[in-house]
Tab-separated table of all heavy atoms in Angstrom:
chain	number	residue	atom	x	y	z
A	482	ALA	N	-11.155	8.410	-13.363
A	482	ALA	CA	-11.080	7.147	-12.631
A	482	ALA	C	-10.368	6.121	-13.500
A	482	ALA	O	-10.516	6.119	-14.719
A	482	ALA	CB	-12.482	6.661	-12.275
A	483	VAL	N	-9.554	5.279	-12.858
A	483	VAL	CA	-8.897	4.189	-13.575
A	483	VAL	C	-9.393	2.876	-12.967
A	483	VAL	O	-9.189	2.617	-11.780
A	483	VAL	CB	-7.359	4.289	-13.465
A	483	VAL	CG1	-6.712	3.145	-14.248
A	483	VAL	CG2	-6.867	5.636	-13.990
A	484	TYR	N	-10.074	2.093	-13.787
A	484	TYR	CA	-10.670	0.823	-13.367
A	484	TYR	C	-9.814	-0.288	-13.959
A	484	TYR	O	-9.748	-0.445	-15.167
A	484	TYR	CB	-12.105	0.777	-13.900
A	484	TYR	CG	-12.887	-0.485	-13.591
A	484	TYR	CD1	-13.883	-0.490	-12.610
A	484	TYR	CD2	-12.675	-1.653	-14.308
A	484	TYR	CE1	-14.624	-1.640	-12.350
A	484	TYR	CE2	-13.411	-2.805	-14.045
A	484	TYR	CZ	-14.376	-2.791	-13.066
A	484	TYR	OH	-15.114	-3.917	-12.802
A	485	ASP	N	-9.092	-1.019	-13.093
A	485	ASP	CA	-8.147	-2.041	-13.562
A	485	ASP	C	-8.551	-3.407	-13.028
A	485	ASP	O	-8.329	-3.714	-11.860
A	485	ASP	CB	-6.727	-1.662	-13.108
A	485	ASP	CG	-5.672	-2.705	-13.520
A	485	ASP	OD1	-6.040	-3.794	-14.009
A	485	ASP	OD2	-4.480	-2.418	-13.347
A	486	LEU	N	-9.151	-4.204	-13.900
A	486	LEU	CA	-9.518	-5.569	-13.525
A	486	LEU	C	-8.628	-6.522	-14.308
A	486	LEU	O	-8.795	-6.697	-15.511
A	486	LEU	CB	-11.005	-5.812	-13.820
A	486	LEU	CG	-11.606	-7.119	-13.285
A	486	LEU	CD1	-11.483	-7.228	-11.771
A	486	LEU	CD2	-13.061	-7.253	-13.699
A	487	GLY	N	-7.643	-7.097	-13.601
A	487	GLY	CA	-6.659	-7.970	-14.256
A	487	GLY	C	-7.001	-9.428	-14.030
A	487	GLY	O	-8.167	-9.827	-14.017
A	488	GLY	N	-5.948	-10.251	-13.844
A	488	GLY	CA	-6.154	-11.667	-13.626
A	488	GLY	C	-6.410	-11.975	-12.161
A	488	GLY	O	-7.243	-12.815	-11.832
A	489	GLY	N	-5.680	-11.283	-11.273
A	489	GLY	CA	-5.787	-11.604	-9.862
A	489	GLY	C	-6.140	-10.434	-8.970
A	489	GLY	O	-6.412	-10.618	-7.793
A	490	THR	N	-6.098	-9.227	-9.510
A	490	THR	CA	-6.319	-8.066	-8.656
A	490	THR	C	-7.249	-7.066	-9.313
A	490	THR	O	-7.336	-6.989	-10.533
A	490	THR	CB	-4.989	-7.336	-8.364
A	490	THR	OG1	-4.367	-7.007	-9.596
A	490	THR	CG2	-4.067	-8.180	-7.523
A	491	PHE	N	-7.941	-6.310	-8.474
A	491	PHE	CA	-8.755	-5.200	-8.951
A	491	PHE	C	-8.304	-3.928	-8.246
A	491	PHE	O	-8.159	-3.902	-7.032
A	491	PHE	CB	-10.241	-5.448	-8.671
A	491	PHE	CG	-11.084	-4.236	-8.954
A	491	PHE	CD1	-11.135	-3.717	-10.239
A	491	PHE	CD2	-11.780	-3.586	-7.944
A	491	PHE	CE1	-11.874	-2.579	-10.516
A	491	PHE	CE2	-12.528	-2.458	-8.213
A	491	PHE	CZ	-12.572	-1.952	-9.502
A	492	ASP	N	-8.030	-2.894	-9.032
A	492	ASP	CA	-7.640	-1.603	-8.463
A	492	ASP	C	-8.513	-0.513	-9.040
A	492	ASP	O	-8.749	-0.480	-10.240
A	492	ASP	CB	-6.193	-1.258	-8.850
A	492	ASP	CG	-5.192	-2.073	-8.082
A	492	ASP	OD1	-5.255	-2.067	-6.850
A	492	ASP	OD2	-4.351	-2.715	-8.723
A	493	ILE	N	-8.944	0.391	-8.177
A	493	ILE	CA	-9.629	1.590	-8.662
A	493	ILE	C	-8.857	2.788	-8.131
A	493	ILE	O	-8.464	2.819	-6.961
A	493	ILE	CB	-11.114	1.637	-8.226
A	493	ILE	CG1	-11.794	2.926	-8.659
A	493	ILE	CG2	-11.276	1.416	-6.731
A	493	ILE	CD1	-12.141	2.990	-10.124
A	494	SER	N	-8.574	3.733	-8.984
A	494	SER	CA	-7.915	4.961	-8.547
A	494	SER	C	-8.715	6.149	-9.030
A	494	SER	O	-9.182	6.152	-10.164
A	494	SER	CB	-6.504	5.068	-9.125
A	494	SER	OG	-5.664	4.138	-8.515
A	495	ILE	N	-8.858	7.126	-8.162
A	495	ILE	CA	-9.505	8.368	-8.548
A	495	ILE	C	-8.401	9.420	-8.636
A	495	ILE	O	-7.686	9.651	-7.662
A	495	ILE	CB	-10.565	8.812	-7.506
A	495	ILE	CG1	-11.492	7.652	-7.113
A	495	ILE	CG2	-11.351	9.998	-8.026
A	495	ILE	CD1	-12.402	7.161	-8.192
A	496	LEU	N	-8.251	10.005	-9.811
A	496	LEU	CA	-7.183	10.976	-10.038
A	496	LEU	C	-7.779	12.349	-10.280
A	496	LEU	O	-8.837	12.463	-10.906
A	496	LEU	CB	-6.358	10.610	-11.270
A	496	LEU	CG	-5.921	9.166	-11.482
A	496	LEU	CD1	-5.190	9.038	-12.810
A	496	LEU	CD2	-5.037	8.709	-10.350
A	497	ARG	N	-7.102	13.377	-9.791
A	497	ARG	CA	-7.514	14.732	-10.140
A	497	ARG	C	-6.402	15.370	-10.950
A	497	ARG	O	-5.232	15.336	-10.564
A	497	ARG	CB	-7.824	15.565	-8.905
A	497	ARG	CG	-8.127	17.029	-9.279
A	497	ARG	CD	-8.648	17.850	-8.123
A	497	ARG	NE	-10.053	17.557	-7.882
A	497	ARG	CZ	-10.569	17.302	-6.690
A	497	ARG	NH1	-9.800	17.273	-5.637
A	497	ARG	NH2	-11.844	17.062	-6.560
A	498	LEU	N	-6.753	15.949	-12.071
A	498	LEU	CA	-5.792	16.606	-12.938
A	498	LEU	C	-5.946	18.112	-12.786
A	498	LEU	O	-7.029	18.661	-13.001
A	498	LEU	CB	-6.054	16.194	-14.395
A	498	LEU	CG	-5.144	16.854	-15.426
A	498	LEU	CD1	-3.712	16.386	-15.264
A	498	LEU	CD2	-5.637	16.553	-16.841
A	499	THR	N	-4.868	18.774	-12.357
A	499	THR	CA	-4.866	20.225	-12.226
A	499	THR	C	-3.603	20.764	-12.883
A	499	THR	O	-2.504	20.362	-12.514
A	499	THR	CB	-4.857	20.644	-10.730
A	499	THR	OG1	-5.782	19.828	-10.027
A	499	THR	CG2	-5.241	22.093	-10.568
A	500	GLN	N	-3.747	21.637	-13.821
A	500	GLN	CA	-2.612	22.254	-14.515
A	500	GLN	C	-1.572	21.227	-14.936
A	500	GLN	O	-0.382	21.373	-14.683
A	500	GLN	CB	-1.972	23.328	-13.633
A	500	GLN	CG	-2.929	24.477	-13.381
A	500	GLN	CD	-2.337	25.534	-12.473
A	500	GLN	OE1	-1.371	25.295	-11.763
A	500	GLN	NE2	-2.920	26.712	-12.515
A	501	GLY	N	-2.031	20.158	-15.554
A	501	GLY	CA	-1.122	19.148	-16.080
A	501	GLY	C	-0.524	18.232	-15.028
A	501	GLY	O	0.340	17.429	-15.327
A	502	VAL	N	-0.969	18.365	-13.775
A	502	VAL	CA	-0.422	17.544	-12.696
A	502	VAL	C	-1.500	16.616	-12.150
A	502	VAL	O	-2.596	17.050	-11.819
A	502	VAL	CB	0.126	18.429	-11.555
A	502	VAL	CG1	0.597	17.570	-10.392
A	502	VAL	CG2	1.254	19.307	-12.062
A	503	PHE	N	-1.154	15.327	-12.071
A	503	PHE	CA	-2.083	14.353	-11.506
A	503	PHE	C	-1.904	14.242	-10.011
A	503	PHE	O	-0.788	14.171	-9.514
A	503	PHE	CB	-1.813	12.958	-12.053
A	503	PHE	CG	-2.413	12.736	-13.387
A	503	PHE	CD1	-1.618	12.469	-14.476
A	503	PHE	CD2	-3.781	12.807	-13.546
A	503	PHE	CE1	-2.165	12.259	-15.711
A	503	PHE	CE2	-4.344	12.595	-14.782
A	503	PHE	CZ	-3.534	12.325	-15.871
A	504	GLU	N	-3.020	14.152	-9.325
A	504	GLU	CA	-2.966	13.811	-7.916
A	504	GLU	C	-3.904	12.629	-7.732
A	504	GLU	O	-5.029	12.659	-8.227
A	504	GLU	CB	-3.434	14.997	-7.088
A	504	GLU	CG	-3.272	14.784	-5.620
A	504	GLU	CD	-3.903	15.906	-4.797
A	504	GLU	OE1	-4.512	16.810	-5.402
A	504	GLU	OE2	-3.805	15.856	-3.588
A	505	VAL	N	-3.406	11.569	-7.072
A	505	VAL	CA	-4.293	10.440	-6.787
A	505	VAL	C	-5.065	10.815	-5.539
A	505	VAL	O	-4.485	10.918	-4.471
A	505	VAL	CB	-3.501	9.139	-6.554
A	505	VAL	CG1	-4.455	7.982	-6.302
A	505	VAL	CG2	-2.619	8.842	-7.750
A	506	ILE	N	-6.359	11.057	-5.679
A	506	ILE	CA	-7.091	11.521	-4.496
A	506	ILE	C	-7.730	10.386	-3.723
A	506	ILE	O	-8.100	10.561	-2.575
A	506	ILE	CB	-8.123	12.628	-4.835
A	506	ILE	CG1	-9.041	12.197	-5.964
A	506	ILE	CG2	-7.404	13.918	-5.195
A	506	ILE	CD1	-10.102	13.245	-6.289
A	507	ALA	N	-7.841	9.232	-4.312
A	507	ALA	CA	-8.289	8.067	-3.547
A	507	ALA	C	-7.911	6.800	-4.294
A	507	ALA	O	-7.845	6.791	-5.519
A	507	ALA	CB	-9.798	8.108	-3.320
A	508	THR	N	-7.641	5.757	-3.523
A	508	THR	CA	-7.415	4.456	-4.141
A	508	THR	C	-8.258	3.446	-3.401
A	508	THR	O	-8.604	3.637	-2.238
A	508	THR	CB	-5.943	3.997	-4.048
A	508	THR	OG1	-5.631	3.807	-2.670
A	508	THR	CG2	-5.005	4.995	-4.670
A	509	GLY	N	-8.587	2.384	-4.114
A	509	GLY	CA	-9.350	1.319	-3.480
A	509	GLY	C	-9.198	0.096	-4.335
A	509	GLY	O	-8.460	0.105	-5.313
A	510	GLY	N	-9.902	-0.938	-3.987
A	510	GLY	CA	-9.831	-2.131	-4.805
A	510	GLY	C	-9.976	-3.381	-3.983
A	510	GLY	O	-10.481	-3.342	-2.851
A	511	ASP	N	-9.537	-4.476	-4.548
A	511	ASP	CA	-9.698	-5.779	-3.926
A	511	ASP	C	-8.603	-6.659	-4.523
A	511	ASP	O	-8.684	-7.049	-5.687
A	511	ASP	CB	-11.096	-6.304	-4.275
A	511	ASP	CG	-11.458	-7.549	-3.484
A	511	ASP	OD1	-10.525	-8.262	-3.081
A	511	ASP	OD2	-12.654	-7.803	-3.277
A	512	SER	N	-7.571	-6.954	-3.725
A	512	SER	CA	-6.439	-7.695	-4.295
A	512	SER	C	-6.756	-9.175	-4.426
A	512	SER	O	-5.921	-9.960	-4.839
A	512	SER	CB	-5.173	-7.481	-3.460
A	512	SER	OG	-5.298	-8.167	-2.243
A	513	ALA	N	-7.973	-9.555	-4.078
A	513	ALA	CA	-8.377	-10.954	-4.256
A	513	ALA	C	-9.561	-11.041	-5.216
A	513	ALA	O	-10.460	-11.855	-5.047
A	513	ALA	CB	-8.721	-11.576	-2.907
A	514	LEU	N	-9.576	-10.148	-6.214
A	514	LEU	CA	-10.653	-10.190	-7.209
A	514	LEU	C	-10.049	-9.957	-8.584
A	514	LEU	O	-9.361	-8.967	-8.808
A	514	LEU	CB	-11.687	-9.096	-6.916
A	514	LEU	CG	-12.830	-8.966	-7.933
A	514	LEU	CD1	-13.709	-10.188	-7.940
A	514	LEU	CD2	-13.655	-7.714	-7.646
A	515	GLY	N	-10.310	-10.885	-9.513
A	515	GLY	CA	-9.777	-10.724	-10.864
A	515	GLY	C	-10.341	-11.765	-11.801
A	515	GLY	O	-11.248	-12.532	-11.418
A	516	GLY	N	-9.799	-11.802	-13.004
A	516	GLY	CA	-10.265	-12.739	-14.023
A	516	GLY	C	-10.209	-14.192	-13.546
A	516	GLY	O	-11.073	-15.001	-13.900
A	517	ASP	N	-9.202	-14.516	-12.717
A	517	ASP	CA	-9.103	-15.879	-12.154
A	517	ASP	C	-10.398	-16.285	-11.457
A	517	ASP	O	-10.819	-17.436	-11.540
A	517	ASP	CB	-7.982	-15.953	-11.101
A	517	ASP	CG	-6.597	-15.748	-11.699
A	517	ASP	OD1	-6.488	-15.734	-12.945
A	517	ASP	OD2	-5.646	-15.585	-10.912
A	518	ASP	N	-10.995	-15.326	-10.748
A	518	ASP	CA	-12.212	-15.642	-10.001
A	518	ASP	C	-13.371	-15.930	-10.947
A	518	ASP	O	-14.247	-16.740	-10.636
A	518	ASP	CB	-12.554	-14.485	-9.054
A	518	ASP	CG	-11.446	-14.251	-8.042
A	518	ASP	OD1	-11.278	-15.094	-7.157
A	518	ASP	OD2	-10.711	-13.250	-8.178
A	519	TYR	N	-13.395	-15.245	-12.100
A	519	TYR	CA	-14.412	-15.540	-13.111
A	519	TYR	C	-14.205	-16.962	-13.634
A	519	TYR	O	-15.169	-17.692	-13.857
A	519	TYR	CB	-14.350	-14.526	-14.259
A	519	TYR	CG	-14.881	-13.154	-13.889
A	519	TYR	CD1	-14.119	-12.276	-13.123
A	519	TYR	CD2	-16.143	-12.736	-14.302
A	519	TYR	CE1	-14.593	-11.032	-12.778
A	519	TYR	CE2	-16.636	-11.482	-13.959
A	519	TYR	CZ	-15.858	-10.629	-13.201
A	519	TYR	OH	-16.331	-9.393	-12.854
A	520	ASP	N	-12.904	-17.344	-13.814
A	520	ASP	CA	-12.613	-18.705	-14.270
A	520	ASP	C	-13.139	-19.726	-13.263
A	520	ASP	O	-13.789	-20.698	-13.633
A	520	ASP	CB	-11.092	-18.920	-14.422
A	520	ASP	CG	-10.459	-17.939	-15.402
A	520	ASP	OD1	-11.220	-17.262	-16.132
A	520	ASP	OD2	-9.219	-17.849	-15.419
A	521	HIS	N	-12.838	-19.486	-11.982
A	521	HIS	CA	-13.266	-20.428	-10.942
A	521	HIS	C	-14.786	-20.496	-10.853
A	521	HIS	O	-15.354	-21.583	-10.719
A	521	HIS	CB	-12.669	-20.031	-9.585
A	521	HIS	CG	-11.213	-20.367	-9.469
A	521	HIS	ND1	-10.754	-21.656	-9.320
A	521	HIS	CD2	-10.108	-19.585	-9.516
A	521	HIS	CE1	-9.426	-21.652	-9.268
A	521	HIS	NE2	-9.005	-20.402	-9.385
A	522	ALA	N	-15.433	-19.316	-10.934
A	522	ALA	CA	-16.896	-19.295	-10.843
A	522	ALA	C	-17.507	-20.046	-12.026
A	522	ALA	O	-18.472	-20.804	-11.861
A	522	ALA	CB	-17.406	-17.857	-10.801
A	523	LEU	N	-16.916	-19.844	-13.206
A	523	LEU	CA	-17.463	-20.529	-14.384
A	523	LEU	C	-17.196	-22.033	-14.301
A	523	LEU	O	-18.071	-22.847	-14.632
A	523	LEU	CB	-16.877	-19.938	-15.674
A	523	LEU	CG	-17.365	-20.588	-16.981
A	523	LEU	CD1	-18.890	-20.521	-17.096
A	523	LEU	CD2	-16.714	-19.929	-18.193
A	524	ALA	N	-16.007	-22.415	-13.815
A	524	ALA	CA	-15.685	-23.841	-13.675
A	524	ALA	C	-16.674	-24.504	-12.720
A	524	ALA	O	-17.166	-25.614	-12.985
A	524	ALA	CB	-14.253	-24.015	-13.179
A	525	ALA	N	-16.986	-23.803	-11.626
A	525	ALA	CA	-17.938	-24.350	-10.654
A	525	ALA	C	-19.320	-24.504	-11.308
A	525	ALA	O	-20.020	-25.500	-11.095
A	525	ALA	CB	-18.028	-23.433	-9.431
A	526	TRP	N	-19.680	-23.500	-12.112
A	526	TRP	CA	-20.989	-23.549	-12.785
A	526	TRP	C	-21.038	-24.731	-13.758
A	526	TRP	O	-22.029	-25.457	-13.814
A	526	TRP	CB	-21.224	-22.228	-13.535
A	526	TRP	CG	-22.591	-22.116	-14.145
A	526	TRP	CD1	-23.712	-21.588	-13.568
A	526	TRP	CD2	-22.982	-22.550	-15.464
A	526	TRP	NE1	-24.772	-21.662	-14.431
A	526	TRP	CE2	-24.364	-22.256	-15.610
A	526	TRP	CE3	-22.311	-23.167	-16.521
A	526	TRP	CZ2	-25.075	-22.538	-16.775
A	526	TRP	CZ3	-23.015	-23.456	-17.685
A	526	TRP	CH2	-24.390	-23.139	-17.809
A	527	ILE	N	-19.919	-24.942	-14.479
A	527	ILE	CA	-19.873	-26.053	-15.444
A	527	ILE	C	-19.974	-27.389	-14.703
A	527	ILE	O	-20.698	-28.295	-15.120
A	527	ILE	CB	-18.572	-25.998	-16.287
A	527	ILE	CG1	-18.599	-24.775	-17.217
A	527	ILE	CG2	-18.391	-27.283	-17.104
A	527	ILE	CD1	-17.300	-24.520	-17.972
A	528	GLN	N	-19.282	-27.481	-13.576
A	528	GLN	CA	-19.373	-28.713	-12.773
A	528	GLN	C	-20.797	-28.988	-12.350
A	528	GLN	O	-21.288	-30.111	-12.429
A	528	GLN	CB	-18.510	-28.580	-11.519
A	528	GLN	CG	-17.069	-28.977	-11.737
A	528	GLN	CD	-16.304	-28.975	-10.409
A	528	GLN	OE1	-16.757	-29.514	-9.424
A	528	GLN	NE2	-15.151	-28.361	-10.414
A	529	ALA	N	-21.467	-27.928	-11.876
A	529	ALA	CA	-22.850	-28.090	-11.432
A	529	ALA	C	-23.728	-28.498	-12.616
A	529	ALA	O	-24.615	-29.349	-12.486
A	529	ALA	CB	-23.359	-26.786	-10.803
A	530	ARG	N	-23.464	-27.902	-13.754
A	530	ARG	CA	-24.279	-28.175	-14.949
A	530	ARG	C	-24.100	-29.608	-15.444
A	530	ARG	O	-25.057	-30.263	-15.844
A	530	ARG	CB	-23.885	-27.171	-16.034
A	530	ARG	CG	-24.217	-27.532	-17.466
A	530	ARG	CD	-25.627	-27.108	-17.853
A	530	ARG	NE	-26.153	-27.948	-18.922
A	530	ARG	CZ	-26.116	-27.650	-20.208
A	530	ARG	NH1	-25.631	-26.522	-20.569
A	530	ARG	NH2	-26.593	-28.466	-21.113
A	531	THR	N	-22.827	-30.107	-15.394
A	531	THR	CA	-22.566	-31.431	-15.966
A	531	THR	C	-22.553	-32.529	-14.915
A	531	THR	O	-22.598	-33.705	-15.246
A	531	THR	CB	-21.177	-31.470	-16.640
A	531	THR	OG1	-20.190	-31.170	-15.661
A	531	THR	CG2	-21.082	-30.458	-17.773
A	532	GLY	N	-22.463	-32.145	-13.654
A	532	GLY	CA	-22.373	-33.136	-12.591
A	532	GLY	C	-21.014	-33.828	-12.535
A	532	GLY	O	-20.828	-34.776	-11.788
A	533	ALA	N	-20.045	-33.330	-13.320
A	533	ALA	CA	-18.721	-33.953	-13.341
A	533	ALA	C	-17.882	-33.450	-12.173
A	533	ALA	O	-18.011	-32.298	-11.760
A	533	ALA	CB	-18.015	-33.639	-14.653
A	534	HIS	N	-17.057	-34.326	-11.617
A	534	HIS	CA	-16.181	-33.908	-10.527
A	534	HIS	C	-14.751	-34.313	-10.802
A	534	HIS	O	-14.366	-35.441	-10.516
A	534	HIS	CB	-16.669	-34.491	-9.194
A	534	HIS	CG	-17.872	-33.778	-8.687
A	534	HIS	ND1	-17.831	-32.513	-8.161
A	534	HIS	CD2	-19.166	-34.147	-8.682
A	534	HIS	CE1	-19.044	-32.123	-7.835
A	534	HIS	NE2	-19.893	-33.100	-8.143
A	535	PRO	N	-13.941	-33.422	-11.356
A	535	PRO	CA	-12.544	-33.761	-11.646
A	535	PRO	C	-11.842	-34.117	-10.343
A	535	PRO	O	-11.946	-33.382	-9.359
A	535	PRO	CB	-11.984	-32.473	-12.261
A	535	PRO	CG	-12.949	-31.399	-11.897
A	535	PRO	CD	-14.271	-32.038	-11.676
A	536	ASP	N	-11.149	-35.281	-10.313
A	536	ASP	CA	-10.592	-35.730	-9.039
A	536	ASP	C	-9.076	-35.594	-8.937
A	536	ASP	O	-8.507	-35.874	-7.903
A	536	ASP	CB	-11.033	-37.174	-8.730
A	536	ASP	CG	-11.031	-38.031	-9.980
A	536	ASP	OD1	-10.336	-37.633	-10.946
A	536	ASP	OD2	-11.724	-39.064	-9.994
Side-chain angles (χ1 to χ4, degrees):
V483 181
Y484 179 105
D485 178 351
L486 189 59
T490 55
F491 171 62
D492 286 306
I493 176 76
S494 289
I495 312 293
L496 315 177
R497 175 171 282 132
L498 178 67
T499 316
Q500 295 178 342
V502 176
F503 279 118
E504 186 187 3
V505 182
I506 52 178
T508 65
D511 190 334
S512 72
L514 176 65
D517 294 350
D518 299 290
Y519 287 77
D520 302 348
H521 285 287
L523 179 57
W526 186 91
I527 292 173
Q528 274 187 48
R530 159 87 206 264
T531 60
H534 285 287
D536 39 21

